[in-house]
């Protein structure tokens, strides 16, 4: 991915594959989510701490374009780039690429927001202070 802000390496485990011998489609969301969480944590943003403060980070939309399957034992990298989308949302653009040949496995767009305990969208100070690092 051009201009990625963060990369996270993985290896496909046997139990992540279906009867066809390829990674089950739902597993890709786990890979994408893990990379997002690791990225935020490396930037000092912790989900548990925000939750204790009554700030709930949520995914509001995911679009995934599957291009090519992964198989057991293959190594791959999740790339991501984060940006702002409107007043209270942000967007993660993510790709998964096979390490051996840089083959594109999938592209994803993940849109998120933060909610307060009453279920209203907010853009908390903790995230606002963090935002300049995203651009």
């Amino acid at each position: 991915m051009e201009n990625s802000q963060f990369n996270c390496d993985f290896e496909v485990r046997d139990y992540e594959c279906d009867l066809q011998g390829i990674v089950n489609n739902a597993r890709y969301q786990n890979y994408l989510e893990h990379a997002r969480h690791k990225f935020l944590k490396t930037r000092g943003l912790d989900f548990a701490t925000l939750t204790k403060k009554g700030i709930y980070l949520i995914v509001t939309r995911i679009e995934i374009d599957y291009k090519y399957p992964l198989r057991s034992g293959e190594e791959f990298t999740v790339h991501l780039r984060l940006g702002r989308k409107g007043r209270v949302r942000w967007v993660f653009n993510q790709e998964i690429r096979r390490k051996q040949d840089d083959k594109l496995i999938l592209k994803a767009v993940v849109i998120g927001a933060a909610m307060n305990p009453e279920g209203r969208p907010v853009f908390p100070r903790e995230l606002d202070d963090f935002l300049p690092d995203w651009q």
Side-chain angles (χ1 to χ4, degrees), residues 68-116:
Y68 195 83
L70 286 169
R71 291 178 166 67
S72 182
E74 289 186 319
E75 295 178 346
F76 62 96
T77 303
V78 178
H79 305 271
L80 69 80
R81 179 148 191 80
L82 179 58
R84 187 121 183 213
K85 183 174 179 71
R87 196 173 58 79
V88 295
R89 293 181 292 164
W90 58 87
V91 61
F92 285 95
N93 290 293
Q94 294 183 266
E95 286 183 358
I96 294 179
R97 291 188 170 272
R98 191 168 58 192
K99 283 185 95 168
Q100 73 185 49
D101 56 4
D102 201 39
K103 182 147 187 97
L104 179 62
I105 303 302
L106 70 75
K107 284 184 157 196
V109 176
V110 181
I111 299 172
M115 307 282 287
N116 66 18

